[in-house]
Coordinates of all heavy atoms in Angstrom, one line a residue:
M265 N -14.7 -17.9 -11.6 CA -13.8 -17.0 -10.9 C -14.5 -15.6 -10.9 O -15.0 -15.1 -11.8 CB -12.5 -16.9 -11.7 CG -11.5 -16.2 -10.8 SD -10.1 -15.4 -11.7 CE -9.8 -16.4 -13.2
I266 N -14.3 -15.0 -9.7 CA -14.9 -13.6 -9.5 C -13.8 -12.6 -10.0 O -12.7 -12.7 -9.6 CB -15.2 -13.3 -8.0 CG1 -16.1 -14.4 -7.5 CG2 -15.8 -12.0 -7.9 CD1 -16.2 -14.4 -6.0
I267 N -14.2 -11.7 -10.8 CA -13.3 -10.6 -11.2 C -13.9 -9.3 -10.9 O -15.1 -9.1 -10.9 CB -12.9 -10.7 -12.7 CG1 -14.2 -10.7 -13.6 CG2 -12.1 -12.0 -13.0 CD1 -13.9 -10.4 -15.1
F268 N -13.0 -8.3 -10.7 CA -13.4 -6.9 -10.4 C -14.1 -6.4 -11.7 O -13.4 -6.3 -12.8 CB -12.2 -6.1 -10.0 CG -12.6 -4.7 -9.7 CD1 -13.3 -4.4 -8.5 CD2 -12.3 -3.6 -10.5 CE1 -13.7 -3.1 -8.2 CE2 -12.7 -2.3 -10.2 CZ -13.3 -2.1 -9.0
P269 N -15.3 -5.9 -11.6 CA -16.0 -5.4 -12.8 C -15.6 -3.9 -13.1 O -16.4 -3.0 -13.0 CB -17.5 -5.5 -12.4 CG -17.5 -5.3 -10.9 CD -16.2 -5.9 -10.4
C270 N -14.4 -3.8 -13.5 CA -13.8 -2.4 -13.8 C -14.6 -1.9 -15.1 O -14.7 -2.5 -16.1 CB -12.3 -2.5 -14.1 SG -11.6 -1.0 -14.6
D271 N -15.0 -0.6 -15.0 CA -15.7 0.0 -16.1 C -14.8 0.9 -16.9 O -15.2 1.6 -17.8 CB -17.0 0.7 -15.7 CG -16.7 1.9 -14.8 OD1 -15.5 2.3 -14.5 OD2 -17.7 2.5 -14.3
G272 N -13.5 0.9 -16.5 CA -12.5 1.7 -17.2 C -12.6 3.2 -17.1 O -12.2 3.9 -18.0
C273 N -13.2 3.7 -16.1 CA -13.4 5.1 -15.9 C -12.1 5.9 -15.7 O -12.1 7.1 -15.9 CB -14.5 5.4 -14.9 SG -13.9 5.2 -13.2
G274 N -11.1 5.2 -15.1 CA -9.8 5.8 -14.8 C -9.8 6.6 -13.5 O -8.8 7.2 -13.2
I275 N -10.9 6.6 -12.8 CA -10.9 7.5 -11.6 C -9.8 7.0 -10.5 O -9.2 7.9 -9.9 CB -12.3 7.4 -10.9 CG1 -12.4 8.5 -9.9 CG2 -12.6 6.1 -10.3 CD1 -13.2 9.7 -10.3
C276 N -9.5 5.8 -10.4 CA -8.5 5.3 -9.5 C -7.1 5.8 -9.9 O -6.3 6.1 -9.0 CB -8.6 3.8 -9.3 SG -8.4 2.9 -10.8
C277 N -6.9 5.9 -11.2 CA -5.6 6.4 -11.6 C -5.5 7.9 -11.6 O -4.4 8.4 -11.8 CB -5.4 5.9 -13.1 SG -5.6 4.1 -13.3
K278 N -6.6 8.6 -11.2 CA -6.6 10.0 -11.0 C -6.5 10.4 -9.6 O -6.6 11.6 -9.2 CB -7.8 10.6 -11.7 CG -7.8 10.5 -13.2 CD -9.2 10.9 -13.8 CE -9.2 10.6 -15.3 NZ -10.6 10.6 -15.8
H279 N -6.4 9.4 -8.7 CA -6.4 9.7 -7.2 C -5.3 8.8 -6.6 O -5.6 8.0 -5.7 CB -7.8 9.4 -6.6 CG -8.8 10.5 -7.0 ND1 -9.5 10.4 -8.1 CD2 -9.1 11.6 -6.4 CE1 -10.3 11.4 -8.3 NE2 -10.1 12.2 -7.2
I280 N -4.1 8.9 -7.0 CA -3.1 8.0 -6.5 C -2.2 8.7 -5.4 O -1.2 8.2 -4.9 CB -2.1 7.5 -7.6 CG1 -1.3 8.7 -8.2 CG2 -2.9 6.7 -8.7 CD1 -0.2 8.2 -9.2
E281 N -2.7 9.9 -5.0 CA -1.9 10.7 -4.1 C -1.6 10.1 -2.7 O -0.7 10.5 -2.1 CB -2.5 12.1 -3.9 CG -3.9 12.1 -3.3 CD -5.0 12.0 -4.3 OE1 -4.8 11.5 -5.4 OE2 -6.2 12.4 -4.0
H282 N -2.5 9.2 -2.3 CA -2.3 8.5 -1.0 C -1.7 7.1 -1.1 O -1.8 6.3 -0.2 CB -3.6 8.5 -0.2 CG -4.2 9.9 0.0 ND1 -3.5 10.9 0.6 CD2 -5.3 10.4 -0.4 CE1 -4.2 12.0 0.7 NE2 -5.4 11.7 0.0
I283 N -1.2 6.8 -2.3 CA -0.6 5.4 -2.5 C 0.9 5.5 -2.5 O 1.5 5.9 -3.6 CB -1.2 4.8 -3.8 CG1 -2.7 4.8 -3.7 CG2 -0.7 3.4 -4.0 CD1 -3.4 4.3 -5.0
P284 N 1.6 5.1 -1.5 CA 3.0 5.2 -1.4 C 3.8 4.6 -2.6 O 4.7 5.1 -3.1 CB 3.4 4.6 -0.1 CG 2.2 4.6 0.7 CD 1.0 4.5 -0.2
Q285 N 3.3 3.4 -3.0 CA 3.9 2.7 -4.1 C 3.9 3.4 -5.4 O 4.6 3.1 -6.3 CB 3.3 1.3 -4.2 CG 3.4 0.4 -3.0 CD 2.2 0.5 -2.1 OE1 1.6 1.5 -2.0 NE2 1.8 -0.7 -1.5
L286 N 3.0 4.4 -5.5 CA 2.8 5.1 -6.8 C 3.3 6.6 -6.7 O 3.0 7.4 -7.6 CB 1.4 5.1 -7.3 CG 0.8 3.7 -7.6 CD1 -0.7 3.8 -8.0 CD2 1.6 3.0 -8.7
K287 N 4.0 6.9 -5.6 CA 4.4 8.3 -5.4 C 5.2 8.9 -6.6 O 5.0 10.0 -6.9 CB 5.3 8.3 -4.1 CG 5.7 9.7 -3.6 CD 6.5 9.6 -2.3 CE 6.9 11.0 -1.9 NZ 7.9 10.9 -0.8
E288 N 6.0 8.1 -7.2 CA 6.8 8.6 -8.3 C 6.0 8.8 -9.6 O 6.5 9.4 -10.5 CB 8.0 7.7 -8.5 CG 9.0 7.7 -7.4 CD 10.2 6.8 -7.6 OE1 10.4 6.3 -8.7 OE2 11.0 6.7 -6.7
F289 N 4.8 8.2 -9.6 CA 4.0 8.3 -10.8 C 3.0 9.5 -10.7 O 2.4 9.9 -11.7 CB 3.1 7.1 -10.9 CG 3.8 5.8 -11.4 CD1 5.2 5.8 -11.5 CD2 3.1 4.7 -11.6 CE1 5.9 4.7 -11.9 CE2 3.8 3.5 -11.9 CZ 5.2 3.5 -12.1
D290 N 2.9 10.1 -9.5 CA 2.0 11.2 -9.3 C 2.5 12.5 -10.0 O 3.6 13.0 -9.8 CB 1.8 11.5 -7.8 CG 0.7 12.4 -7.5 OD1 0.2 13.2 -8.4 OD2 0.2 12.4 -6.3
T291 N 1.6 13.1 -10.9 CA 2.0 14.3 -11.6 C 1.9 15.5 -10.7 O 2.2 16.6 -11.2 CB 1.1 14.4 -12.9 OG1 -0.2 14.4 -12.5 CG2 1.4 13.3 -13.8
G292 N 1.4 15.4 -9.5 CA 1.3 16.5 -8.6 C -0.1 16.8 -8.2 O -0.4 17.5 -7.2
N293 N -1.1 16.3 -8.9 CA -2.5 16.5 -8.5 C -3.2 15.1 -8.3 O -4.4 15.1 -8.4 CB -3.2 17.3 -9.6 CG -3.2 16.6 -11.0 OD1 -2.7 15.5 -11.1 ND2 -3.7 17.3 -12.0
G294 N -2.5 14.1 -8.1 CA -3.1 12.8 -7.9 C -3.2 11.9 -9.2 O -3.6 10.8 -9.1
R295 N -3.0 12.5 -10.3 CA -3.1 11.8 -11.6 C -1.8 11.1 -11.9 O -0.7 11.7 -11.8 CB -3.5 12.8 -12.7 CG -3.8 12.1 -14.0 CD -4.0 13.1 -15.2 NE -4.1 12.5 -16.4 CZ -5.2 12.2 -17.1 NH1 -6.4 12.5 -16.5 NH2 -5.2 11.6 -18.2
C296 N -2.0 9.9 -12.3 CA -0.8 9.1 -12.7 C -0.2 9.5 -14.0 O -1.0 9.8 -15.0 CB -1.1 7.6 -12.8 SG 0.2 6.6 -13.3
K297 N 1.1 9.6 -14.1 CA 1.7 10.1 -15.4 C 1.5 9.1 -16.5 O 1.8 9.4 -17.7 CB 3.2 10.4 -15.1 CG 4.0 9.1 -14.8 CD 5.5 9.5 -14.6 CE 6.4 8.3 -14.3 NZ 7.8 8.7 -14.0
H298 N 1.1 7.9 -16.2 CA 1.0 6.9 -17.2 C -0.5 6.7 -17.7 O -0.8 5.9 -18.6 CB 1.4 5.5 -16.7 CG 2.9 5.5 -16.4 ND1 3.8 5.6 -17.4 CD2 3.6 5.3 -15.3 CE1 5.1 5.6 -16.9 NE2 5.0 5.4 -15.6
L299 N -1.4 7.5 -17.1 CA -2.8 7.5 -17.6 C -2.9 8.3 -18.9 O -2.6 9.5 -18.9 CB -3.7 8.0 -16.5 CG -5.2 8.0 -16.8 CD1 -5.7 6.5 -16.9 CD2 -6.0 8.7 -15.7
L300 N -3.4 7.6 -19.9 CA -3.6 8.3 -21.2 C -4.9 9.1 -21.2 O -5.8 8.8 -20.4 CB -3.5 7.3 -22.3 CG -2.2 6.5 -22.4 CD1 -2.3 5.4 -23.4 CD2 -1.0 7.4 -22.7
D301 N -5.1 10.0 -22.2 CA -6.3 10.7 -22.3 C -7.5 9.9 -22.5 O -8.7 10.3 -22.2 CB -6.2 11.8 -23.4 CG -5.2 12.9 -23.0 OD1 -4.9 13.1 -21.8 OD2 -4.8 13.6 -23.9
N302 N -7.4 8.7 -23.0 CA -8.5 7.8 -23.2 C -8.7 6.9 -22.0 O -9.4 5.9 -22.1 CB -8.3 6.9 -24.5 CG -7.1 6.1 -24.5 OD1 -6.4 6.0 -23.4 ND2 -6.7 5.4 -25.5
N303 N -8.1 7.2 -20.9 CA -8.2 6.4 -19.6 C -7.6 5.1 -19.6 O -7.8 4.3 -18.8 CB -9.7 6.3 -19.2 CG -10.3 7.6 -18.6 OD1 -9.5 8.4 -18.1 ND2 -11.6 7.7 -18.7
L304 N -6.7 4.8 -20.6 CA -6.0 3.6 -20.6 C -4.6 3.8 -20.0 O -4.1 4.9 -20.0 CB -5.8 3.0 -22.1 CG -7.1 2.6 -22.8 CD1 -6.9 2.1 -24.2 CD2 -7.9 1.5 -22.0
C305 N -4.0 2.7 -19.5 CA -2.7 2.8 -18.9 C -1.6 2.5 -20.0 O -1.7 1.5 -20.6 CB -2.6 1.8 -17.8 SG -1.0 1.6 -17.1
E306 N -0.7 3.5 -20.1 CA 0.3 3.3 -21.1 C 1.3 2.2 -20.8 O 2.1 1.8 -21.7 CB 1.0 4.6 -21.5 CG 1.9 5.1 -20.4 CD 2.7 6.3 -20.8 OE1 2.7 6.7 -22.0 OE2 3.4 6.9 -20.0
I307 N 1.4 1.7 -19.5 CA 2.3 0.7 -19.2 C 1.5 -0.5 -18.6 O 2.0 -1.3 -17.8 CB 3.3 1.1 -18.1 CG1 2.6 1.6 -16.8 CG2 4.2 2.2 -18.6 CD1 3.5 1.7 -15.6
Y308 N 0.3 -0.7 -19.2 CA -0.6 -1.7 -18.6 C 0.0 -3.1 -18.4 O -0.1 -3.7 -17.3 CB -1.8 -1.9 -19.6 CG -2.9 -2.7 -19.0 CD1 -3.8 -2.2 -18.0 CD2 -3.1 -4.1 -19.4 CE1 -4.8 -3.0 -17.4 CE2 -4.1 -4.9 -18.8 CZ -4.9 -4.3 -17.8 OH -5.9 -5.1 -17.2
S309 N 0.7 -3.6 -19.4 CA 1.3 -5.0 -19.2 C 2.4 -5.0 -18.2 O 2.8 -6.1 -17.7 CB 1.7 -5.5 -20.5 OG 2.7 -4.7 -21.1
D310 N 3.0 -3.8 -17.9 CA 4.1 -3.7 -16.9 C 3.7 -2.9 -15.7 O 4.6 -2.6 -14.9 CB 5.3 -3.1 -17.6 CG 5.9 -3.9 -18.7 OD1 6.0 -5.2 -18.5 OD2 6.2 -3.4 -19.8
R311 N 2.4 -2.7 -15.5 CA 2.0 -1.8 -14.3 C 2.4 -2.6 -13.0 O 2.5 -3.8 -13.0 CB 0.5 -1.5 -14.4 CG -0.4 -2.7 -14.2 CD -1.8 -2.4 -14.7 NE -2.8 -3.4 -14.3 CZ -2.9 -4.6 -14.9 NH1 -2.0 -5.0 -15.8 NH2 -3.8 -5.4 -14.5
P312 N 2.6 -1.8 -12.0 CA 3.0 -2.4 -10.7 C 1.9 -3.2 -10.0 O 0.7 -3.1 -10.4 CB 3.4 -1.2 -9.8 CG 2.9 0.0 -10.5 CD 2.6 -0.3 -11.9
D313 N 2.3 -4.1 -9.1 CA 1.3 -4.9 -8.4 C 0.2 -4.1 -7.8 O -1.0 -4.6 -7.8 CB 2.0 -5.7 -7.3 CG 2.9 -6.8 -7.9 OD1 2.8 -7.2 -9.1 OD2 3.8 -7.3 -7.1
I314 N 0.5 -3.0 -7.3 CA -0.6 -2.2 -6.6 C -1.7 -1.8 -7.5 O -2.8 -1.6 -7.1 CB 0.1 -0.9 -5.9 CG1 -0.9 -0.2 -5.0 CG2 0.6 0.0 -7.0 CD1 -1.2 -0.9 -3.7
C315 N -1.4 -1.8 -8.8 CA -2.5 -1.5 -9.8 C -3.2 -2.7 -10.3 O -4.1 -2.6 -11.1 CB -1.8 -0.8 -11.0 SG -0.9 0.7 -10.7
R316 N -2.9 -3.9 -9.7 CA -3.5 -5.2 -10.2 C -4.4 -5.7 -9.1 O -3.8 -6.3 -8.1 CB -2.4 -6.2 -10.6 CG -1.5 -5.7 -11.7 CD -0.3 -6.6 -11.9 NE 0.7 -6.0 -12.8 CZ 0.8 -6.5 -14.1 NH1 0.1 -7.5 -14.5 NH2 1.7 -5.9 -14.9
V317 N -5.7 -5.7 -9.3 CA -6.6 -6.1 -8.3 C -6.4 -7.6 -7.9 O -6.3 -8.0 -6.7 CB -8.0 -5.9 -8.7 CG1 -9.0 -6.5 -7.7 CG2 -8.3 -4.4 -8.9
D318 N -6.3 -8.4 -8.9 CA -6.2 -9.9 -8.7 C -4.8 -10.2 -8.0 O -4.7 -11.0 -7.1 CB -6.3 -10.7 -10.0 CG -7.8 -10.7 -10.4 OD1 -8.7 -10.4 -9.6 OD2 -8.0 -10.9 -11.6
R319 N -3.8 -9.6 -8.5 CA -2.4 -9.8 -8.0 C -2.4 -9.4 -6.5 O -1.8 -10.1 -5.7 CB -1.4 -9.0 -8.8 CG 0.0 -9.2 -8.3 CD 0.6 -10.6 -8.8 NE 1.9 -10.7 -8.4 CZ 2.4 -11.8 -7.8 NH1 1.7 -12.8 -7.6 NH2 3.7 -11.8 -7.5
M320 N -2.9 -8.3 -6.1 CA -2.9 -7.8 -4.8 C -3.7 -8.8 -3.9 O -3.3 -9.0 -2.7 CB -3.5 -6.4 -4.6 CG -2.6 -5.3 -5.3 SD -1.0 -5.2 -4.5 CE -1.5 -4.4 -2.9
Y321 N -4.8 -9.3 -4.4 CA -5.5 -10.3 -3.6 C -4.6 -11.6 -3.3 O -4.5 -12.0 -2.2 CB -6.8 -10.8 -4.3 CG -7.6 -11.8 -3.5 CD1 -8.2 -11.4 -2.4 CD2 -7.6 -13.1 -3.9 CE1 -8.9 -12.4 -1.6 CE2 -8.3 -14.1 -3.2 CZ -8.9 -13.7 -2.0 OH -9.6 -14.6 -1.3
E322 N -4.0 -12.0 -4.4 CA -3.1 -13.2 -4.2 C -2.0 -13.0 -3.2 O -1.7 -13.8 -2.3 CB -2.5 -13.6 -5.5 CG -3.5 -14.2 -6.5 CD -2.9 -14.2 -8.0 OE1 -1.6 -14.1 -8.1 OE2 -3.6 -14.3 -8.9
L323 N -1.4 -11.8 -3.3 CA -0.2 -11.5 -2.5 C -0.6 -11.2 -1.0 O 0.1 -11.6 -0.1 CB 0.5 -10.2 -3.0 CG 1.3 -10.4 -4.3 CD1 1.9 -9.1 -4.8 CD2 2.5 -11.4 -4.1
Y324 N -1.6 -10.4 -0.8 CA -1.9 -9.8 0.5 C -3.2 -10.1 1.2 O -3.3 -10.0 2.4 CB -1.7 -8.3 0.5 CG -0.3 -7.9 0.0 CD1 -0.2 -7.3 -1.2 CD2 0.8 -8.1 0.8 CE1 1.0 -6.9 -1.7 CE2 2.1 -7.8 0.3 CZ 2.2 -7.1 -1.0 OH 3.4 -6.8 -1.4
F325 N -4.2 -10.5 0.4 CA -5.5 -10.6 1.0 C -6.2 -12.0 1.0 O -7.1 -12.3 1.7 CB -6.5 -9.6 0.4 CG -6.1 -8.2 0.6 CD1 -5.3 -7.5 -0.4 CD2 -6.4 -7.5 1.7 CE1 -4.9 -6.2 -0.2 CE2 -6.0 -6.2 1.9 CZ -5.3 -5.5 1.0
S326 N -5.6 -12.9 0.2 CA -6.3 -14.2 0.1 C -6.3 -15.0 1.4 O -7.1 -15.9 1.6 CB -5.6 -15.1 -1.0 OG -4.2 -15.2 -0.7
S327 N -5.3 -14.7 2.3 CA -5.3 -15.4 3.6 C -6.2 -14.8 4.6 O -6.4 -15.4 5.7 CB -3.9 -15.4 4.1 OG -3.4 -14.1 4.4
V328 N -6.8 -13.6 4.4 CA -7.6 -13.0 5.4 C -9.0 -12.7 5.0 O -9.8 -12.4 5.8 CB -6.9 -11.6 5.8 CG1 -5.6 -11.8 6.5 CG2 -6.8 -10.7 4.7
M329 N -9.3 -12.9 3.7 CA -10.7 -12.7 3.3 C -11.0 -13.4 2.0 O -10.1 -13.8 1.3 CB -11.1 -11.2 3.2 CG -10.4 -10.5 2.0 SD -11.0 -8.8 1.8 CE -10.5 -7.9 3.3
S330 N -12.3 -13.6 1.8 CA -12.7 -14.3 0.5 C -12.5 -13.3 -0.6 O -12.5 -12.1 -0.5 CB -14.2 -14.7 0.6 OG -15.0 -13.6 0.6
K331 N -12.5 -13.9 -1.8 CA -12.3 -13.1 -3.0 C -13.5 -12.2 -3.2 O -13.4 -11.0 -3.6 CB -12.1 -14.0 -4.2 CG -11.8 -13.3 -5.5 CD -10.4 -12.7 -5.6 CE -10.1 -12.0 -6.9 NZ -9.8 -12.9 -8.0
E332 N -14.7 -12.7 -2.9 CA -15.9 -12.0 -3.0 C -15.9 -10.7 -2.1 O -16.2 -9.6 -2.5 CB -17.1 -12.8 -2.7 CG -18.5 -12.1 -2.9 CD -19.7 -13.0 -2.7 OE1 -19.5 -14.2 -2.3 OE2 -20.8 -12.5 -2.9
D333 N -15.5 -10.9 -0.8 CA -15.4 -9.8 0.1 C -14.4 -8.8 -0.4 O -14.6 -7.6 -0.3 CB -15.1 -10.3 1.5 CG -16.2 -11.0 2.2 OD1 -17.4 -10.9 1.7 OD2 -16.0 -11.6 3.2
Y334 N -13.3 -9.3 -0.9 CA -12.2 -8.4 -1.4 C -12.7 -7.5 -2.6 O -12.5 -6.3 -2.6 CB -11.0 -9.2 -1.8 CG -9.9 -8.5 -2.5 CD1 -9.0 -7.7 -1.8 CD2 -9.7 -8.6 -3.9 CE1 -8.0 -7.0 -2.4 CE2 -8.7 -7.9 -4.5 CZ -7.8 -7.2 -3.8 OH -6.8 -6.5 -4.4
I335 N -13.4 -8.2 -3.5 CA -13.9 -7.5 -4.7 C -15.0 -6.4 -4.2 O -15.0 -5.3 -4.7 CB -14.6 -8.5 -5.7 CG1 -13.5 -9.4 -6.3 CG2 -15.4 -7.7 -6.8 CD1 -12.5 -8.7 -7.2
N336 N -15.8 -6.8 -3.3 CA -16.8 -5.9 -2.8 C -16.2 -4.7 -2.1 O -16.6 -3.5 -2.2 CB -17.8 -6.6 -1.8 CG -18.8 -7.4 -2.6 OD1 -19.1 -7.2 -3.8 ND2 -19.3 -8.5 -2.0
A337 N -15.1 -4.9 -1.3 CA -14.4 -3.8 -0.7 C -13.8 -2.9 -1.7 O -13.8 -1.7 -1.6 CB -13.3 -4.4 0.2
N338 N -13.2 -3.5 -2.8 CA -12.7 -2.6 -3.9 C -13.8 -1.8 -4.6 O -13.6 -0.7 -4.9 CB -11.9 -3.5 -4.9 CG -10.5 -3.8 -4.5 OD1 -9.6 -3.0 -4.8 ND2 -10.3 -4.8 -3.7
L339 N -14.9 -2.5 -4.7 CA -16.1 -1.8 -5.4 C -16.5 -0.6 -4.5 O -16.9 0.5 -5.0 CB -17.2 -2.7 -5.6 CG -17.2 -3.6 -6.9 CD1 -18.3 -4.6 -6.8 CD2 -17.3 -2.7 -8.1
E340 N -16.5 -0.8 -3.2 CA -16.9 0.3 -2.3 C -15.9 1.5 -2.4 O -16.3 2.6 -2.5 CB -16.9 -0.2 -0.8 CG -18.1 -0.9 -0.4 CD -19.4 -0.1 -0.7 OE1 -19.5 1.1 -0.2 OE2 -20.3 -0.6 -1.3
G341 N -14.6 1.2 -2.5 CA -13.6 2.2 -2.7 C -13.8 2.9 -4.0 O -13.7 4.2 -4.1
C342 N -14.1 2.2 -5.0 CA -14.4 2.8 -6.3 C -15.6 3.7 -6.3 O -15.5 4.8 -6.8 CB -14.6 1.6 -7.3 SG -14.9 2.1 -9.0
K343 N -16.7 3.3 -5.6 CA -17.9 4.1 -5.5 C -17.6 5.4 -4.8 O -18.0 6.5 -5.1 CB -19.0 3.3 -4.7 CG -19.8 2.4 -5.6 CD -20.9 1.9 -4.7 CE -21.4 0.5 -5.3 NZ -22.2 -0.2 -4.3
K344 N -16.8 5.3 -3.7 CA -16.4 6.5 -2.9 C -15.7 7.5 -3.7 O -15.9 8.7 -3.7 CB -15.7 6.1 -1.7 CG -16.5 5.5 -0.6 CD -15.7 5.1 0.7 CE -16.6 4.5 1.7 NZ -15.8 3.8 2.8
L345 N -14.7 7.0 -4.5 CA -13.9 7.9 -5.4 C -14.9 8.6 -6.4 O -14.7 9.8 -6.7 CB -12.9 7.1 -6.2 CG -11.6 6.8 -5.4 CD1 -10.7 6.0 -6.3 CD2 -10.9 8.1 -5.0
K346 N -15.8 7.9 -7.0 CA -16.7 8.4 -8.0 C -17.6 9.5 -7.4 O -18.1 10.4 -8.1 CB -17.5 7.3 -8.6 CG -16.7 6.5 -9.6 CD -17.5 5.4 -10.2 CE -16.7 4.6 -11.2 NZ -17.3 3.5 -11.8
M347 N -17.9 9.4 -6.1 CA -18.8 10.4 -5.4 C -18.0 11.6 -5.0 O -18.7 12.6 -4.6 CB -19.5 9.7 -4.2 CG -20.5 8.7 -4.6 SD -21.5 8.1 -3.2 CE -20.3 7.4 -2.1
K348 N -16.7 11.6 -5.0 CA -15.9 12.8 -4.6 C -16.2 14.0 -5.5 O -16.4 13.9 -6.7 CB -14.4 12.4 -4.7 CG -13.8 11.9 -3.4 CD -12.3 11.9 -3.6 CE -11.7 11.5 -2.2 NZ -10.2 11.4 -2.3
Ligands
LIG1237 S1 0.4 2.7 -13.7 FE1 -1.4 2.5 -15.0 S2 -2.9 1.3 -13.8 FE2 -1.4 2.1 -12.4 S3 -2.2 4.1 -11.6 FE3 -0.9 4.5 -13.4 S4 -2.3 4.5 -15.2 FE4 -3.3 3.5 -13.5

């Protein structure tokens, strides 16, 4: 099974300003209120679907693209955030 190779940098949780599903989590500068100082999520086991790469694939993308393409698209998004 292909899984997203998350390195735990926390950058995606520091740029949630354009994600409608996480609007209530935004502290005002794009950082999620649930992101801890060690880059872990304080509600990890209960985090919303939008924060779950595999769950989002199952729900919305499995019918339109392969898992490999989906993971690569997510990796591209991750790289772009890191270059900001
Ligand atoms: S809920 Fe957790 S995984 Fe989702 S953006 Fe916030 S810190 Fe990140």
Side-chain angles (χ1 to χ4, degrees):
M265 188 202 336
I266 307 168
I267 58 167
F268 182 74
C270 177
D271 63 7
C273 72
I275 193 101
C276 54
C277 306
K278 294 172 185 164
H279 291 85
I280 65 170
E281 62 271 22
H282 301 302
I283 304 175
Q285 297 95 323
L286 297 177
K287 190 177 174 189
E288 292 180 10
F289 290 1
D290 192 339
T291 56
N293 60 4
R295 184 185 172 99
C296 178
K297 67 181 181 181
H298 295 297
L299 183 65
L300 302 172
D301 288 342
N302 60 5
N303 284 336
L304 295 179
C305 172
E306 71 174 351
I307 60 165
Y308 188 77
S309 59
D310 295 316
R311 69 198 188 286
D313 287 342
I314 191 73
C315 301
R316 300 170 187 256
V317 176
D318 289 338
R319 181 76 178 134
M320 290 299 286
Y321 180 72
E322 289 165 18
L323 287 174
Y324 303 109
F325 296 95
S326 60
S327 61
V328 294
M329 66 172 66
S330 70
K331 185 75 178 281
E332 185 176 4
D333 286 348
Y334 174 76
I335 294 295
N336 285 333
N338 274 270
L339 275 171
E340 277 306 307
C342 182
K343 276 185 205 165
K344 283 180 185 170
L345 278 179
K346 286 178 176 175
M347 289 190 299
K348 268 191 174 180

